[in-house]
Amino acid sequence: MDHSHSHRERQEVVGIIGGGISGLLACKYLKSKGFDPIVFEAHTTIGGVWSKVSSTTFLQSPKPIYSFSDYPWPSSSSECPSQLQVMEYVMGYAHHFNLLKHIKFNSLVQGIEYDGPEDEGEMKSWDLWGGNGEPFRANAKWKVLVKNTINDSSEVYRVDFVILCIGRFSDVANIPEFEEKKGPEVFKGKVMHSMEFTSMDDQTAAEFVKGKNVTVVGFQKYAVDIAMQCSQVNGEKYPCKMLYKTEHWCMPDLAPWGIPLPFLYFTRFSELLVHKPGQSFFHTLIATTLSPLRWALSKFVESYVKRKQRLAKFGMVPKQSFLRDLSASKIFITPEKFYDRVEEGSIILKKSPSFWFDEEGVVVEGESTPLKADLVIFATGFKSDHKLRDIFVSPTFQNLIMGSPDAAVPLYRECINPEIPQVAVIGFSESLSNLYTSEMRCRWVAEFLSGKFKLPSIKEMKKDMEKWDKYMKEYSGNYYRRSSIAALHIWYNDQLCKDMGWSPRRKKGLLAELFEPYGPMDYSSN
């Protein structure tokens, strides 16, 4: 069947903000439904965060679950593809589905403004999303304010629906606050955020850190990569110091004791061990009965990581369980030989509950001598929710998208805010494979926009969000603001499948359904 004729051309205009992986997926699935989307990308290239990381960065997810469902990796790519290979793969996808003609490059979206007949007070009385539970409304549009980054000219686009694919890991740096006279302003050296550092090419970065005392703040993926780069350039002569607050489970590889991680945490069976939002009494009973097994699985992975990385020797054994870090998407793979560098002394790990600056460097709480430094790099993450907030011009919408400070960002199915009409958000909530997660969400949004299903009432959506919020608090502890579905990927996809009228069970036979890992290929056809 020729699909190009099976869909009538849709008249509604959909604007997609961001040309990273989520933006490309949204564009591809809307095209397949007969829309002609416009993608606004602020930079000169697609690929989002992948176009800006250093070439020492490798893919952190198992390759089989970090792939497009209808565009397999080339057989020539390595087991853990490098930044270059990921970019080539993403470029190949964009060309294969002819997406580039929809993208407006160097187009920075400065804000979106709702242009509907109602005032915001009237919208509060709606029972259904947008007043009608439908994706579009006859006389309501969003104005997208776009600045051309090359010639500074501005343009306003009017669209019927906006999909925000603005990413979690870029643009708004999260820099800790300091008391007066204790911040970077008193320090004689240079202070920067990892974002600035990773935008340099390798040679420039190497020259930049050469012969300098570098202190990196943080112990997540970016921090560890930067410390590795510094130790390769400077060795033990100028060791790179890492300041961190909390130890996390970082994996030497993705196969603890030889068992691939997806078999332990990406199967229906593994999800039976977790208390899920909206589960039946039967599921509750199983999860409670099997809690010793849940504990044992965590211990199994932890014992491998501790032994392989010699964590006890370096005082790096985390206090929280592996499952808790996994549930908050706090897991990453340590670069090869990282702990060898720690052992030889070219990387120095320092636990520091708090620190501040003086002229010479950094003062760590409880230590009498300051750490001398020439360069301090904050690998302290991004304020992604601020980026999401600031794209809205209206303060009312800004408050609605942020939600309450003690709950995860309020999105139904991690895509739709019940009180903001004609907008979807994709790629804000994390998982172990953000590509796979975003693809499922884009398909869901495309089916919704083409009229396949309606949303429940605003009240029901909020009820469902509360259940998910409770789950995130229970399993992610202090990190629940991260909106992660890592340990419940299949259960989450089941909800999307049911909405779209697909069968949630994608395997052949009961054993396969229970014990085989799920991945993008299981959803390659509806």
Side-chain angles (χ1 to χ4, degrees):
M1 182 174 114
D2 179 7
H3 278 281
S4 55
H5 297 294
S6 65
H7 299 292
R8 60 187 181 83
E9 289 293 311
R10 306 279 313 207
Q11 294 310 302
E12 300 90 358
V13 182
V14 180
I16 298 169
I17 300 176
I21 283 176
S22 296
L24 295 174
L25 282 158
C27 180
K28 186 246 160 173
Y29 281 103
L30 284 177
K31 258 185 83 161
S32 74
K33 297 286 177 201
F35 290 98
D36 184 15
I38 312 172
V39 181
F40 302 100
E41 169 50 59
H43 300 94
T44 48
T45 167
I46 58 170
V49 72
W50 279 107
S51 62
K52 302 196 259 301
V53 291
S54 73
S55 64
T56 51
T57 304
F58 286 83
L59 183 60
Q60 291 293 297
S61 319
K63 199 168 77 173
I65 63 164
Y66 197 90
S67 70
F68 298 106
S69 69
D70 48 8
Y71 187 75
W73 280 88
S75 48
S76 57
S77 65
S78 50
E79 217 17 69
C80 284
S82 63
Q83 178 258 350
L84 204 63
Q85 287 178 315
V86 176
M87 276 303 284
E88 277 173 13
Y89 177 56
V90 172
M91 280 291 191
Y93 178 81
H95 285 293
H96 181 76
F97 291 106
N98 196 9
L99 306 179
L100 294 172
K101 64 171 189 175
H102 295 273
I103 303 176
K104 291 190 181 301
F105 289 107
N106 307 308
S107 300
L108 175 69
V109 174
Q110 295 184 299
I112 60 173
E113 200 168 354
Y114 193 59
D115 187 7
E118 299 81 14
D119 61 30
E120 288 167 0
E122 202 177 313
M123 292 161 112
K124 284 198 175 69
S125 66
W126 286 345
D127 294 323
L128 292 172
W129 193 61
N132 59 6
E134 306 263 350
F136 304 107
R137 303 181 61 229
N139 46 8
K141 305 224 179 228
W142 280 95
K143 291 193 295 201
V144 183
L145 321 169
V146 180
K147 185 176 112 176
N148 180 315
T149 56
I150 290 178
N151 61 18
D152 270 356
S153 62
S154 296
E155 208 173 327
V156 177
Y157 292 82
R158 291 169 66 83
V159 300
D160 299 283
F161 197 95
V162 174
I163 302 180
L164 297 174
C165 303
I166 50 182
R168 274 196 89 108
F169 303 107
S170 56
D171 302 333
V172 185
N174 175 33
I175 295 197
E177 315 231 317
F178 295 91
E179 288 172 27
E180 210 180 331
K181 299 219 166 77
K182 288 190 168 184
E185 71 284 350
V186 298
F187 171 54
K188 283 186 177 152
K190 185 161 172 55
V191 177
M192 61 176 19
H193 187 265
S194 61
M195 177 166 77
E196 212 181 321
F197 184 76
T198 51
S199 66
M200 305 180 189
D201 64 70
D202 294 351
Q203 207 180 340
T204 314
E207 288 295 313
F208 186 70
V209 297
K210 198 172 179 176
K212 287 192 177 126
N213 284 308
V214 184
T215 298
V216 176
V217 181
F219 195 76
Q220 279 286 298
K221 183 73 195 116
Y222 279 121
V224 170
D225 277 352
I226 292 170
M228 270 309 266
Q229 257 178 304
C230 295
S231 74
Q232 280 161 357
V233 177
N234 288 329
E236 294 146 74
K237 196 171 175 205
Y238 296 98
C240 175
K241 300 176 188 72
M242 289 188 83
L243 294 187
Y244 67 93
K245 265 190 185 142
T246 316
E247 301 82 3
H248 287 290
W249 291 105
C250 38
M251 311 281 295
D253 53 66
L254 288 169
W257 301 117
I259 299 177
L261 202 61
F263 279 95
L264 300 173
Y265 283 101
F266 266 121
T267 65
R268 279 200 186 276
F269 181 73
S270 66
E271 294 195 1
L272 281 177
L273 311 183
V274 178
H275 286 284
K276 297 176 280 297
Q279 67 181 3
S280 64
F281 174 69
F282 171 67
H283 274 116
T284 308
L285 206 63
I286 295 183
T288 308
T289 315
L290 294 178
S291 64
L293 185 57
R294 187 169 70 222
W295 177 85
L297 261 182
S298 255
K299 288 285 169 250
F300 174 78
V301 178
E302 290 163 23
S303 66
Y304 174 76
V305 180
K306 281 198 284 206
R307 176 148 176 214
K308 190 104 189 215
Q309 309 257 42
R310 317 189 286 289
L311 295 186
K313 178 175 183 179
F314 305 113
M316 291 301 285
V317 180
K319 292 182 178 52
Q320 69 283 13
S321 72
F322 176 76
L323 178 64
R324 173 153 284 195
D325 267 358
L326 179 82
S327 300
S329 294
K330 280 282 190 184
I331 303 285
F332 62 93
I333 304 172
T334 336
E336 212 181 333
K337 301 210 161 73
F338 175 78
Y339 279 104
D340 296 352
R341 297 285 161 95
V342 175
E343 191 153 17
E344 70 181 27
S346 61
I347 293 177
I348 296 172
L349 300 173
K350 244 193 184 354
K351 184 159 184 161
S352 103
S354 78
F355 69 93
W356 53 92
F357 287 88
D358 72 358
E359 279 190 13
E360 300 296 304
V362 175
V363 184
V364 174
E365 188 187 340
E367 296 204 1
S368 47
T369 38
L371 300 175
K372 281 205 165 43
D374 306 308
L375 168 65
V376 175
I377 302 174
F378 282 107
T380 41
F382 299 90
K383 290 187 172 166
S384 45
D385 40 3
H386 289 224
K387 194 159 89 166
L388 197 54
R389 177 192 67 194
D390 294 340
I391 201 118
F392 290 95
V393 172
S394 137
T396 309
F397 286 143
Q398 289 186 350
N399 292 334
L400 286 170
I401 198 73
M402 289 295 277
S404 106
D406 55 8
V409 174
L411 295 172
Y412 174 71
R413 298 283 189 255
E414 303 293 326
C415 294
I416 298 268
N417 181 299
E419 293 168 284
I420 304 181
Q422 294 155 266
V423 173
V425 178
I426 288 179
F428 183 78
S429 157
E430 285 181 87
S431 75
L432 282 193
S433 166
N434 292 332
L435 184 153
Y436 166 28
T437 313
S438 286
E439 179 162 20
M440 286 301 285
R441 289 178 184 154
C442 288
R443 294 170 86 167
W444 184 83
V445 169
E447 294 286 345
F448 172 56
L449 293 191
S450 64
K452 182 87 179 273
F453 64 91
K454 278 190 161 67
L455 294 175
S457 71
I458 292 177
K459 205 158 113 196
E460 281 172 75
M461 289 200 274
K462 286 185 170 174
K463 237 194 228 138
D464 187 80
M465 284 155 49
E466 271 164 34
K467 288 179 191 156
W468 278 88
D469 195 55
K470 202 177 135 204
Y471 152 74
M472 287 176 190
K473 284 192 174 70
E474 184 181 347
Y475 282 95
S476 315
N478 325 342
Y479 298 108
Y480 67 87
R481 267 299 272 188
R482 294 172 68 87
S483 302
S484 167
I485 59 156
L488 272 193
H489 217 280
I490 305 171
W491 180 258
Y492 171 77
N493 281 343
D494 285 354
Q495 320 296 322
L496 301 186
C497 285
K498 287 173 193 160
D499 292 345
M500 296 187 285
W502 301 2
S503 159
R505 306 212 174 277
R506 318 293 297 179
K507 304 266 188 200
K508 290 185 174 59
L510 182 66
L511 284 175
E513 192 60 72
L514 269 177
F515 297 108
E516 269 185 22
Y518 258 78
M521 295 308 165
D522 292 306
Y523 298 94
S524 58
S525 62
N526 33 333

